[in-house]
Amino acid sequence: MSEDIVGLNPVRAAGAVASSALLLAGAGWAVRAGWEVRLARAGEPAGGPPDQGDGRHRALTSLEDGYHLVSSVGGVLTAVCVVAFLVWLGRVRGNARVLSGRAPRYRGAWVLFGWVVPVVNLWIPRGVVAEVYRDSAPGRRLPRVVDVWWGLWLVGLVSGVGLVYGDSTDELVARAYDNVWPLVLCDLALVGAAAAGAAVVRAVTRVQTERAALHV
């Protein structure tokens, strides 16, 4: 009997896409961290930072141009990752409701807005994923990798230098010249969050496919 016959959404393909997208996004952040180290080692040019103030910008060096490209590609990979993860999350949430026979605690718009609304975004997304796992595998302990994933994600979220920041790319270049390590450490936290997130996706996908197999 297939996942479709027992009323469950097929999740293997969505899980594979989401975990792969997470790893690709993590690779993008790793390249960005490496580029920031390259900028720090090269040192700031004699002309000063790229953003000269008062709307004036000097010509970028090839290394700075490369950082702009790396940041842009990383942004695209992150956007793809977000879409893939949310598609997967929607499928496994639906399955969890079928498996548990009860409505989820966090409903509707909270699945999306819980990621971006200040303060509540510190716990709601983790709560959604944890609830899906527990409803899919009653009696099993929540994998530790869920907390690892969420802890690293929060570092990137609240640090002000990683995933969410108000600085332009040119201002980040200037930061790399001035004090690169906060940038690099935050980027590496996001790399770890991406890797742990891929493991979370695989864990949830696995327990749901195992439950589906019990109906064969």
Side-chain angles (χ1 to χ4, degrees), residues 149-201:
W149 159 65
W150 192 244
L152 291 171
W153 171 265
L154 289 181
V155 171
L157 182 68
V158 305
S159 66
V161 296
L163 187 67
V164 177
Y165 51 81
D167 292 347
S168 68
T169 305
D170 282 346
E171 289 170 329
L172 290 174
V173 169
R175 281 194 184 193
Y177 288 139
D178 181 59
N179 185 16
V180 72
W181 295 113
L183 289 173
V184 170
L185 291 176
C186 182
D187 289 343
L188 293 180
L190 290 170
V191 172
V200 170
V201 169

Side-chain angles (χ1 to χ4, degrees), residues 65-213:
D65 257 333
Y67 184 71
H68 274 260
L69 178 61
V70 164
S71 295
S72 296
V73 172
V76 171
L77 291 174
T78 299
V80 171
C81 174
V82 168
V83 172
F85 184 86
L86 290 177
V87 168
W88 167 83
L89 186 59
R91 285 178 173 270
V92 294
R93 283 184 77 247
N95 287 352
R97 183 169 186 170
V98 171
L99 292 168
S100 67
R102 60 176 178 269
R105 177 182 179 187
Y106 300 106
R107 305 182 188 182
W110 279 118
V111 178
L112 297 177
F113 294 122
W115 293 87
V116 296
V117 175
V119 182
V120 298
N121 63 350
L122 299 179
W123 72 82
I124 283 184
R126 179 199 174 278
V128 170
V129 173
E131 182 180 48
V132 167
Y133 185 89
R134 291 185 175 116
D135 286 348
S136 303
R140 290 196 193 182
R141 183 175 182 178
L142 187 70
R144 290 183 180 179
V145 71
V146 173
D147 290 324
V148 172
W149 159 65
W150 192 244
L152 291 171
W153 171 265
L154 289 181
V155 171
L157 182 68
V158 305
S159 66
V161 296
L163 187 67
V164 177
Y165 51 81
D167 292 347
S168 68
T169 305
D170 282 346
E171 289 170 329
L172 290 174
V173 169
R175 281 194 184 193
Y177 288 139
D178 181 59
N179 185 16
V180 72
W181 295 113
L183 289 173
V184 170
L185 291 176
C186 182
D187 289 343
L188 293 180
L190 290 170
V191 172
V200 170
V201 169
R202 289 193 292 267
V204 175
T205 302
R206 182 170 57 251
V207 295
Q208 288 200 347
T209 53
E210 287 174 354
R211 287 289 299 279

